[in-house]
């Protein structure tokens, strides 16, 4: 039994030894694993510290500044904070010294943590059993502001490591800048720039020593030392720190004494809200730029906003409720003022709509560009005569704005008086597609988008344009035909690229025309005319009187004005001359009342020549009335004038003869005016007397050529849709030359009846194609085809 017990005891002892050995092996293995894990953690921590911090990207409140770095507009961050970015050059020596002395005296001597301060704080906290002293450096505070965490000893260690990481990758000045950008000031204000703007209405680099000291101590007690509510307590706390600064000889005695006497009368202010439409546009264009430094001029913007607001108040009773203005510097292409509406806060009248970018009908505002292109093509010259009479352009029958017609007018008068018929006639000859192409070249985006819909109405505003597009176009006239991009941002590299829209000669000719004072769109109010600025300008009024435009320029500025309603409501009193131009003159007199004397000079290769005043063409020897006219050598037309015709007439001037029927005696020679057929028809219709060529010898059977009748109704090639239950007749009209007394009408080769040249006949067409022929009393004829369908 004893032997058996001894054996059992040995077995148990052996098992215990084996169990202990295995446990010892597991422990060593665990120790190795733990050591490896610690090593990996330390390695990962070191690698993490070697890399730049991942959370360093701070979302700032975007601010838009003017040319002089004044804040125009500020935006909240997405978390509704005022957190404006303080730039390095805004950190003054006074701000830096006072902040570092108060928060971290050894900021420039440590690497993110201050061991002495940590030991002192730990000792005090252990002695008193609670947190009585902090040891956070400025860098540690930045680490905490970047990654806010609950205040524990573990998080404090992480904060210290992050501080070392920041010191490793960033300079002291950059770390100080981060602190100043994120330090809290109570409520939703963060950063010294936000506090200086919202409390003192100043930039940080303009703060006094007293204001700097006040802002330095608020972050420690943002609730009890809130500016505007606790100014007395804040003044007391500020003065204590000023006295500490004095004992440390941080600033001069005079500076400290002045700061101690400075009262704190500040209170919470509203964020800057000037140029709201412009600011929102800049935010859309540059969404990731914390400080958008623009070329806008604060004073010019403020004055322009005030003028626009006051002007619309005077027009409000006429149901005219909005306006938009752009002021562009021609020499720098900088936008100096940008007003999108009369009142951004007026939601009832669409005040938040940006009228500078809104697409509207330009009315006659595109005519200068049309005439400039036609001049460069040799189609027109200023003294060329065109017909301002009722006209039909393949079914399109434009009318003048006032419903009247002027007969034969010069191109320069057609532009100065903004006549519609001549403009459509010029566009018809220039070509709609070519004009659309040139408008697209000038940056008219909506015209380019709708190019397939464009027609002859384009000359009269039958398209969509933006105010900014018109301003840039007119700036090209001031720029001698060159189109430059707009410069939005301050100090951005100058974009010297340009596009030539028209020649320098065309720019000068149009400018001289738009500078004329004798024109109907000169405002008749005394307030506008008594101080007329030296500018070239053009007005425009859209169909239905929904938009009034006035764009003007001189060598220095181009200013564009739009007046109307964003609702599209037309107003009978609305017009470019009466509504938009007075505001244009007022702004010009404010922005550039006394421009430099260097007005636009004639280009060297712009030539003069004599032309006949009756037609604007090169004169014949017998053209007695001549005037000087601009022209482009080798480009402008060289057509000769034929405004009168010498005729053989009977002694009593009752008959005219041709060479075939000329009698041997009893006749005389006499010159008669040779008017275009449409002018003859206009004179006949209006009862305007003119000298007619006598009817041709009735005994003569000769057939003549040239100057055939021109059928004006119906229109060649058109399809007419008629209702059998309604009137199914079509009207026949034509224009003829001065020597025609009678015309004969044929429909489908069947003789209809004779009629005077200006007479109107009606006929019933057959379904399908119809051939219409008109023959005058000289045997000259024109024929057209139309298609008729019945419902």
């Amino acid at each position: 039994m004893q032997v058996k017990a001894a054996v059992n005891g040995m077995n148990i002892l052996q098992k215990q030894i084996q169990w202990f050995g295995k446990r010892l092996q597991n422990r060593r293995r665990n120790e190795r694993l733990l050591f490896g894990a610690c090593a990996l953690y330390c390695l990962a921590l070191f690698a993490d510290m070697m890399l730049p911090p991942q959370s360093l990207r701070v979302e700032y409140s975007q601010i838009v500044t003017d040319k002089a770095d004044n804040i125009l507009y500020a935006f909240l961050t997405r978390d509704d904070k005022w957190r404006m970015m303080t730039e390095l050059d805004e950190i003054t020596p006074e701000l830096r010294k006072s902040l570092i002395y108060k928060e971290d005296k050894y900021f420039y001597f440590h690497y993110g943590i201050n061991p002495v301060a940590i030991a002192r704080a730990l000792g005090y906290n252990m002695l008193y059993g609670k947190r009585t002293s902090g040891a956070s450096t400025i860098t540690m505070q930045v680490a905490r502001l970047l990654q806010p965490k609950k205040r524990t000893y573990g998080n404090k260690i992480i904060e210290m490591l992050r501080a070392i990481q920041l010191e490793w990758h960033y300079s002291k000045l950059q770390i100080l800048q981060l602190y100043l950008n994120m330090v809290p000031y109570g409520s939703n204000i963060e950063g010294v720039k936000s506090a200086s703007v919202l409390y003192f209405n100043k930039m940080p680099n303009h703060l006094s020593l007293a204001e700097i000291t006040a802002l330095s101590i608020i972050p420690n007690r943002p609730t009890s030392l809130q500016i505007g509510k606790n100014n007395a307590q804040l003044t007391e706390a500020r003065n204590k720190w000023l006295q500490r600064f004095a004992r440390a000889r941080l600033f001069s005695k005079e500076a400290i004494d002045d700061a101690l006497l400075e009262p704190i009368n500040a209170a919470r202010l509203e964020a800057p809200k000037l140029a709201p439409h412009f600011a929102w546009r800049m935010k859309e264009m540059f969404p990731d730029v914390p400080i958008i430094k623009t070329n806008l001029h604060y004073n010019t913007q403020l004055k322009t906003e005030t003028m626009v607001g006051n002007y619309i108040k005077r027009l409000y009773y006429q149901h005219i409720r909005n306006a938009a203005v752009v002021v562009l510097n021609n020499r720098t292409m900088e936008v100096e003022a940008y007003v999108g509406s009369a009142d951004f806060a007026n939601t009832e009248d669409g005040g938040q709509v940006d009228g500078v970018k809104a697409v509207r009908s330009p009315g006659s505002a595109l005519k200068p560009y049309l005439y400039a292109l036609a001049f460069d093509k040799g189609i027109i010259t200023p003294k060329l005569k065109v017909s301002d009479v009722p006209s039909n352009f393949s079914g399109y029958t434009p009318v003048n704005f006032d419903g009247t017609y002027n007969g034969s007018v010069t191109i320069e008068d057609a532009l100065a008086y903004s006549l519609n018929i001549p403009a459509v006639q010029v566009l018809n000859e220039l070509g709609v597609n070519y004009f659309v192409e040139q408008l697209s070249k000038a940056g008219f985006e909506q015209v380019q988008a709708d190019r397939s819909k464009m027609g002859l109405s384009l000359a009269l505003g039958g398209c969509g344009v933006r105010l900014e597009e018109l301003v840039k176009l007119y700036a090209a006239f001031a720029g001698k035909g060159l189109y430059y991009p707009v410069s939005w941002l301050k100090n951005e590299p100058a974009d010297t690229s340009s596009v030539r829209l028209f020649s320098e000669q065309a720019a000068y000719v149009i400018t001289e025309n738009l500078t004329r004072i004798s024109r109907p769109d000169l405002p008749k109010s005394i307030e506008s005319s008594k101080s007329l600025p030296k500018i070239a300008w053009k007005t425009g009024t859209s169909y239905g009187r929904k938009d009034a435009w006035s764009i003007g320029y001189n060598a220095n500025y181009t200013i564009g004005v739009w007046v109307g309603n964003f609702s599209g409501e037309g107003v009978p009193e609305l017009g470019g001359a009466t509504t938009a131009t007075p505001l244009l003159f007022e702004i010009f007199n404010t922005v550039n009342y006394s421009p430099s004397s260097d007005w636009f000079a004639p280009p060297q290769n712009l030539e003069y020549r004599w032309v006949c005043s009756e037609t604007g063409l090169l004169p014949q020897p017998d053209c007695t009335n001549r005037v000087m006219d601009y022209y482009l050598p080798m480009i402008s037309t060289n057509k000769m004038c034929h405004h009168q015709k010498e005729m053989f007439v009977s002694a009593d001037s009752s008959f005219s003869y041709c060479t075939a029927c000329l009698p041997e005696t009893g006749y005389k020679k006499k010159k008669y005016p040779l008017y275009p057929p449409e002018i003859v028809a206009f004179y006949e219709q209006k009862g305007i007397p003119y000298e007619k060529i006598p009817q041709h010898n009735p005994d003569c059977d000769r057939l003549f050529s040239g100057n055939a009748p021109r059928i004006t109704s119906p229109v060649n090639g058109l399809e007419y849709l008629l209702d059998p239950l309604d009137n199914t007749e079509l009207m026949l009209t034509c224009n003829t030359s001065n020597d025609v007394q009678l015309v004969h009408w044929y429909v489908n080769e069947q003789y209809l009846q004779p009629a005077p040249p200006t007479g109107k006949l009606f006929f019933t067409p057959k379904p399908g194609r119809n051939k219409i022929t008109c023959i005058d009393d000289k045997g000259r004829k024109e024929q057209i085809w139309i298609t008729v369908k019945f419902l």
Side-chain angles (χ1 to χ4, degrees):
M1 286 295 291
Q2 293 179 351
V3 173
K4 186 175 180 180
V7 171
N8 289 337
M10 291 295 293
N11 289 336
I12 292 171
L13 180 61
Q14 184 178 5
K15 289 179 179 179
Q16 288 179 343
I17 292 173
Q18 290 175 351
W19 175 83
F20 183 76
K22 289 180 180 179
R23 185 174 181 183
L24 185 61
Q25 289 177 348
N26 291 337
R27 180 178 178 182
R28 290 175 177 171
R29 184 178 62 189
N30 290 338
E31 287 177 349
R32 288 195 298 270
L33 290 174
L34 180 61
F35 178 79
C38 291
L40 287 174
Y41 177 78
C42 292
L43 182 63
L45 185 61
F46 178 76
D48 182 56
M49 291 180 62
M50 291 296 292
L51 295 173
Q54 297 298 313
S55 59
L56 198 58
R57 183 176 178 84
V58 180
E59 182 189 2
Y60 293 107
S61 298
Q62 274 193 301
I63 59 175
V64 181
T65 64
D66 74 339
K67 186 81 169 179
D69 295 328
N70 299 303
I71 297 179
L72 297 170
Y73 204 96
F75 297 91
L76 284 166
T77 60
R78 283 175 291 184
D79 57 350
D80 292 330
K81 299 287 187 182
W82 290 113
R83 191 185 300 118
M84 304 178 191
M85 179 179 176
T86 304
E87 298 187 277
L88 293 176
D89 59 0
E90 294 175 328
I91 305 174
T92 61
E94 293 80 8
L95 177 60
R96 183 169 61 251
K97 288 165 65 176
S98 60
L99 180 68
I100 290 175
Y101 182 83
K102 180 185 176 299
E103 293 291 332
D104 189 358
K105 294 180 183 178
Y106 301 100
F107 177 67
Y108 287 110
F109 303 99
H110 61 66
Y111 293 94
I113 60 175
N114 187 339
V116 176
I118 293 174
R120 183 188 68 242
L122 185 60
Y124 278 120
N125 293 346
M126 292 177 66
L127 178 64
Y128 294 102
K130 61 180 182 180
R131 184 179 182 273
T132 60
S133 175
S136 293
T137 63
I138 288 178
T139 314
M140 291 171 64
Q141 293 183 60
V142 170
R144 183 171 65 250
L145 291 169
L146 286 171
Q147 293 181 319
K149 290 183 175 65
K150 187 178 180 180
R151 294 196 174 189
T152 64
Y153 284 108
N155 287 337
K156 179 64 71 173
I157 293 174
I158 296 176
E159 184 180 302
M160 293 164 61
L161 294 173
R162 288 298 181 194
I164 297 173
Q165 182 187 31
L166 288 169
E167 293 278 351
W168 186 276
H169 292 285
Y170 298 98
S171 69
K172 289 290 186 180
L173 189 56
Q174 289 175 313
I175 293 171
L176 184 62
Q177 181 187 23
L178 280 171
Y179 176 79
L180 290 172
N181 284 332
M182 295 185 293
V183 61
Y185 281 92
S187 185
N188 64 339
I189 300 177
E190 295 183 4
V192 68
K193 188 169 188 173
S194 301
S196 63
V197 170
L198 296 177
Y199 286 134
F200 298 110
N201 195 27
K202 295 180 180 180
M203 302 297 276
N205 53 345
H206 294 158
L207 293 172
S208 67
L209 179 58
E211 293 165 341
I212 288 174
T213 307
L215 292 181
S216 298
I217 63 178
I218 290 176
N220 299 114
R221 300 166 58 189
T223 302
S224 61
L225 297 180
Q226 188 172 356
I227 294 180
K229 294 184 178 180
N230 311 102
N231 286 357
Q233 296 92 319
L234 179 59
T235 302
E236 182 180 354
R238 179 203 68 182
N239 290 346
K240 287 181 179 180
W241 274 102
L242 284 170
Q243 290 166 357
R244 292 182 186 180
F245 293 162
R247 289 192 294 271
R249 296 182 179 180
L250 204 63
F251 303 103
S252 67
K253 184 179 183 304
E254 293 78 8
I256 295 293
D257 291 342
D258 290 341
L260 286 169
L261 295 174
E262 184 176 321
I264 297 179
N265 299 320
R268 176 72 179 264
L269 304 172
E270 290 292 330
K273 298 293 182 183
L274 189 68
H277 295 94
F278 177 76
W280 278 98
R281 177 167 185 173
M282 293 298 100
K283 181 178 176 63
E284 293 174 2
M285 292 175 63
F286 309 102
D288 300 322
V289 180
I291 303 177
I292 307 174
K293 299 183 178 182
T294 73
N295 291 314
L296 214 70
H297 286 212
Y298 184 92
N299 289 333
T300 303
Q301 177 70 24
L302 191 61
K303 291 177 182 178
T304 305
E305 283 190 8
T306 302
M307 285 186 284
V308 171
N310 292 338
Y311 187 73
I312 292 302
K313 287 178 183 178
R314 298 198 296 268
L315 297 179
Y316 204 83
Y317 75 96
Q318 298 179 1
H319 303 287
I320 301 172
R321 295 169 180 170
N322 253 306
V325 174
V326 173
V327 178
L328 181 67
N329 188 311
N330 293 331
R331 302 188 185 279
T332 63
M333 292 305 292
E334 296 174 357
V335 176
E336 295 191 2
Y338 184 114
V339 181
S341 71
D343 183 1
F344 186 81
N346 183 357
T347 56
E348 182 180 351
D349 297 317
Q352 295 183 4
V353 175
D354 188 349
V356 176
K357 297 195 301 181
V359 177
R360 315 289 295 189
S361 168
S364 298
L366 294 177
K367 288 176 181 176
Y369 191 28
L370 170 65
Y371 286 118
L373 295 173
F375 180 78
D376 279 342
K377 285 287 187 180
I379 297 173
I380 62 171
T381 58
K383 300 295 184 181
L384 180 69
K385 286 289 189 74
V386 291
S387 299
D388 178 36
V389 298
S391 303
N392 190 313
F393 299 90
S394 299
Y396 177 53
T397 55
V399 296
N400 284 327
F401 184 76
D402 59 1
T404 64
Y405 301 92
N406 301 275
S408 183
V409 297
T410 62
I411 286 292
E412 61 183 5
D413 284 343
L415 177 57
Y417 287 80
S418 197
L419 302 177
N420 290 342
I421 309 303
V424 175
Q425 182 179 335
V426 170
L427 177 57
N428 189 45
E429 192 167 352
L430 182 68
V432 172
N433 291 337
Y434 178 76
F435 193 36
V436 169
E437 179 184 335
Q438 297 306 306
L439 285 169
S440 302
K441 184 178 176 181
F444 287 83
E445 297 178 356
Q446 195 61 40
V447 174
Q448 169 65 18
D450 297 336
R451 61 181 306 138
S452 61
K453 306 174 185 177
M454 296 293 103
L456 291 175
S457 62
L458 181 60
L460 312 182
C463 61
V465 304
R466 297 174 174 86
L467 176 60
E468 61 177 308
E469 294 171 342
L470 286 174
V471 170
K472 289 187 286 186
L473 172 65
Y474 279 72
F477 285 99
K480 301 179 180 180
L482 292 176
Y483 177 92
Y484 291 94
V486 168
S487 175
W488 296 106
L489 300 183
K490 177 183 176 182
N491 298 329
E492 68 177 341
D495 189 350
T496 57
S497 61
S498 61
V499 177
R500 178 158 294 283
L501 299 183
F502 39 83
S503 68
E504 184 179 354
Q505 296 82 2
Y508 178 79
V509 168
I510 298 301
T511 297
E512 285 294 288
N513 191 277
L514 297 181
T515 312
R516 289 175 51 175
I517 303 300
S518 57
R519 49 196 284 185
D521 59 352
L522 179 69
K524 296 181 174 54
S525 60
I526 298 176
E527 293 79 12
S528 298
S529 301
K530 67 180 180 182
S531 55
L532 182 67
K534 174 67 174 179
I535 62 171
W537 85 96
K538 181 71 182 76
T539 62
T541 307
S542 67
Y543 180 78
R545 293 183 178 268
K546 300 177 181 180
D547 307 277
W549 306 83
S550 192
I551 322 292
Y553 61 93
N554 58 23
N556 297 324
Y557 288 95
T558 298
I559 300 177
V561 173
W562 170 86
V563 180
N565 295 308
F566 291 133
S567 63
E569 176 188 358
V571 180
E573 293 80 12
L574 192 69
T578 57
T579 311
T581 302
L583 180 57
L584 175 72
F585 288 177
E586 183 180 355
I587 296 173
F588 252 114
N589 286 334
T590 302
V591 173
N592 196 221
Y593 180 71
S594 299
S596 56
S597 58
D598 57 327
W599 188 251
F600 306 100
Q604 291 183 351
N605 52 350
L606 179 62
E607 301 289 344
Y608 301 86
R609 66 182 181 185
W610 288 105
V611 296
C612 177
S613 63
E614 299 294 331
T615 60
L617 299 175
L618 294 179
Q620 296 280 9
D622 57 350
C623 291
T624 56
N625 298 323
R626 303 185 183 192
V627 293
M628 295 295 295
D629 192 16
Y630 293 117
Y631 80 106
L632 294 176
M634 308 301 295
I635 295 176
S636 298
T637 179
N638 287 323
K639 291 182 180 178
M640 301 298 295
C641 174
H642 296 285
H643 79 279
Q644 55 185 358
K645 182 179 182 181
E646 187 176 64
M647 301 290 297
F648 297 107
V649 296
S650 59
D652 59 358
S653 300
S654 59
F655 293 100
S656 61
Y657 301 103
C658 63
T659 55
C661 65
L662 183 64
E664 294 183 2
T665 59
Y667 69 90
K668 62 182 179 180
K669 292 181 180 180
K670 186 177 180 181
K671 291 182 179 179
Y672 290 88
L674 197 60
Y675 299 114
E678 64 272 13
I679 294 295
V680 173
F682 175 72
Y683 287 166
E684 291 286 346
Q685 180 184 5
K686 295 296 182 179
I688 299 174
Y690 66 98
E691 192 172 14
K692 300 180 182 179
I693 299 177
Q695 65 173 338
H696 192 62
N697 180 12
D699 297 328
C700 181
D701 55 2
R702 177 186 172 184
L703 297 179
F704 293 81
S705 61
N707 295 327
R710 187 180 306 161
I711 299 175
T712 56
S713 176
V715 178
N716 185 33
L718 287 191
E719 180 179 278
Y720 291 82
L721 191 61
L722 305 180
D723 186 354
L725 301 179
D726 198 0
N727 181 20
T728 59
E729 292 186 331
L730 294 179
M731 182 174 66
L732 298 173
T733 60
C734 69
N735 291 336
T736 65
S737 61
N738 190 14
D739 58 346
V740 175
Q741 307 295 323
L742 194 68
V743 295
H744 302 270
W745 291 97
Y746 294 79
V747 176
N748 297 320
E749 305 293 351
Q750 299 295 318
Y751 183 67
L752 186 61
Q753 68 181 75
T758 58
K760 298 178 181 179
L761 295 181
F762 292 87
F763 77 102
T764 301
K766 69 175 184 179
R769 282 171 59 82
N770 287 257
K771 179 182 179 182
I772 300 171
T773 306
C774 180
I775 304 176
D776 66 17
D777 53 13
K778 304 296 187 297
R780 299 167 296 199
K781 70 176 182 178
E782 181 182 65
Q783 59 186 28
I784 64 170
W785 290 87
I786 62 171
T787 302
V788 176
K789 292 183 179 180
F790 290 91
L791 296 175

